[in-house]
Amino acid sequence: MMMLTKKMIQIRGLLQTVGQSESLTLPSIVVIGSQSSGKSSVLEAIVGHEFLPKGSNMVTRRPIELTLVNTPDSHAEYGEFPALGLAKITDFHQIQRTLTDLNLAVPPEQCVSDDPIQLRIYSPNVPDLSLIDLPGYIQVTGRDQPVELKEKIVDLCEKYIKAPNVILAISAADVDLANSTALRASRKVDPRGERTVGVITKMDLVDPDRGAALLNDQKYALRLGYVGVVCRVPSSTSNTKSMFHRGSGNITQAVARNEAAYFGAHPEFGPDSHLQVGTKSLRKKLMQVLEQTMAASLKTTGEAIQRELAEATYEYKVQYNERPLSAESYLAESLDAFKHSFRGFTEQFGRAQVRELLKHELDQQVLNLLAQRYWNRPLEDLSAPLPESDPLSGLMKADPEGQDQIWRIKLDSSSAALTKLGVGRLATSVVANALQTHIDRLITQSRFAAHPFARQAITEASNAILKDLSYDIADELEICIKPYKYRIEVEDNEWAKGRDNVAKVLKEELMVCESAVKKLEEQMGGRKKVKDVMAFIDRVRSGQVVLEGDGIGGAGGFSASLLRKGREAVFLRDRADVLKMRLLAVKSKQCANKKNKYHCPEVFLDAVADKLTTTADLFLDAELLSKFYYIFPRELDARLGRGLSPAEMDRFAREDPKIRRHLDVVQRKELLEHVLKEMEGLRQIEAREKRYSARR
Ligand code: GDP
């Protein structure tokens, strides 16, 4: 018999996880009573511990679905809140605090909530029972309580006391039963008293005669009868001598002893009276009633499960083509696909790609150096006159002795500036950034795009690895290029290559300049307009026109913004002039020979940049790329594969709404199948027990 209830309660628990549905559950015992009727004391006497929220203000705002699990082979007593995923709680005061917090989380304006708190208590001292504790009925609303509170509690209780649930109606002996709100509520839904157990508390507060009369009540006769109890737990703060102390071990025994003493002292409750008294008999009664009620519901519940299962199976077939899915398999597949795309990327991003990236970056650095050190006509300062001799044209002329010396120093210092730029750090970060960008792109193109959690995990993984590797690699690379900082020899073939390449770079730069000019022309209203503005700016520059103020409010009939754009156009024109001139120089015969390197700084610096690139790409390919390619997939496994708990995998998979719906159907179907199987097992236990009792 014990086994059967246990199993049914287990099935009830399983059904709770399937989801809230009225027909998809097994009945429970619903506990109702007015505030202060002694409802908590009765429940705590059954559980053996004080664990319910207490306080002058009403603290039960949500139903508590209390499942008691008898564990005969263990000494441990503990509680679990399955929905919260907390660990076992062995301290019942902690359970009390958690319940209080969960209750207080209901906003005051909502008064009460019908979202139940699930609490399981495991102990060798509890019976297997499933109880639902509801907020106590209140007679008058307190000053700080909303007026609709009373109504809301009544509505909430009404919802739960529907058939086939068993009603445990608690009334205090010192209150006229005709006034018992619990009994009145129960009579409304169970007029013939077929599924109500009456409990009369505080029997010690009335004369035994009167107490006995209450238990014999015929006005609202209950088939399951009335049980009289005394389960007062004196407050620990009270100075009066307590019957037993709160929290001092298990209180079930203490209550039972106290009741035995009380009822034993009054012959009115003796065995001949056939009255039911004491929490011990109440426990027994509840177990019997629950088992019978649950067993009676098995058939209808089983049919409801069959129906639900048929629906889920149909949906699975029609919507998902019976495609199996679990959070774990989904994650594993997604991860495999991602790693596969990553492998594809590694095959396309090697030394050649690193080289191209680095050379481009160094080309830009060379252009900047050239502009700063060679092409630096002070064009931006419009009011200053042009320098008398243009250093560029000077370069082309036959140099007098002194000039030559200047060009020598200029080139040496430029080349030193390039090699001492911090190429180690620059090159490493350029390649690391490129890798990160590619990873981001791979994520966006993968299934993980719809999973913020995975996205972040992957980004963090690559970030962390790259950061970790870059630190040392940058320093080591810097050491590799150290020799170039002191001496650089350029071979003939390197010179020729540099000459070709820098011509290309200059041409590209020229194109960038020209397209920028075009854009400006569009913005300023045509080529003619640009010409006019530029002519004005030139006149200002050559001192033919003096600007009043800084030309902030506009000048020469042009607005300030036109002038600003005009200055940009002048800069671009001058830059284009320089580029064209240098392009000619690079292509000239003079620059074909590396002996003339001081006059061909573009070619020389390009050749230096090329040497630096060669050292860097070799090193970064061997160190950064291959190490990253090795570590990253393993890190992915650690962060997203084996590293995740089943709950985390489920949370991950459910981030994608499509997958979530699919998983819901699959999991619902599996759970219902599981429940049905459990119910089949139940039938076997039932049959066995029948045979056993028949034999006896
Ligand atoms: P609830 O509001 O219905 O949960 O009622 P409680 O269980 O908190 O009890 C209300 C008050 O009645 C408390 O002060 C209890 O100590 C007291 N009480 C509960 N049961 C008994 C009893 O059997 N006898 C006596 N004398 N007092 C009781």
Side-chain angles (χ1 to χ4, degrees), residues 259-418:
E259 282 177 325
Y262 177 80
F263 292 119
H266 300 288
E268 289 84 346
F269 306 109
D272 300 340
S273 70
H274 298 292
L275 293 178
Q276 307 178 75
V277 288
T279 40
K280 221 168 141 187
S281 29
L282 177 62
R283 276 166 63 134
K284 230 198 221 137
K285 185 173 209 63
L286 292 181
M287 285 160 72
Q288 276 170 358
V289 172
L290 183 66
E291 175 163 299
Q292 284 160 8
T293 315
M294 278 186 152
S297 289
L298 277 181
K299 196 160 170 281
T300 31
T301 305
E303 285 162 2
I305 297 173
Q306 295 274 17
R307 269 198 307 277
E308 291 275 336
L309 179 60
E311 261 172 49
T313 310
Y314 179 78
E315 194 181 347
Y316 180 55
K317 193 168 179 169
V318 172
Q319 298 245 23
Y320 300 102
N321 212 5
E322 302 194 318
R323 195 153 30 87
L325 179 73
S326 72
E328 195 183 356
S329 68
Y330 173 72
L331 177 61
E333 272 170 36
S334 311
L335 196 58
D336 275 353
F338 186 77
K339 285 197 287 191
H340 183 76
S341 77
F342 177 69
R343 251 193 315 281
F345 160 72
T346 62
E347 277 154 22
Q348 276 155 33
F349 192 84
R351 187 174 171 194
Q353 286 68 31
V354 168
R355 179 176 179 78
E356 198 178 320
L357 266 178
L358 294 182
K359 189 64 198 341
H360 178 76
E361 181 63 32
L362 287 180
D363 283 347
Q364 293 305 309
Q365 299 290 340
V366 167
L367 281 180
N368 284 348
L369 271 175
L370 288 165
Q372 276 167 22
R373 291 169 187 251
Y374 287 93
W375 312 336
N376 53 347
R377 287 155 50 160
L379 303 180
E380 50 290 337
D381 182 5
L382 292 177
S383 50
L386 275 173
E388 278 182 14
S389 66
D390 187 341
L392 285 160
S393 46
L395 207 154
M396 301 303 290
K397 287 180 205 150
D399 281 318
E401 277 297 301
Q403 283 279 355
D404 228 21
Q405 189 60 22
I406 290 176
W407 294 120
R408 235 171 245 277
I409 294 170
K410 235 175 150 92
L411 188 65
D412 289 344
S413 76
S414 300
S415 140
L418 186 59

Side-chain angles (χ1 to χ4, degrees), residues 38-58:
K39 190 158 65 75
S40 312
S41 303
V42 171
L43 286 174
E44 289 174 348
I46 292 175
V47 169
H49 288 276
E50 204 188 341
F51 70 100
L52 287 166
K54 300 275 155 65
S56 52
N57 211 340
M58 194 239 354

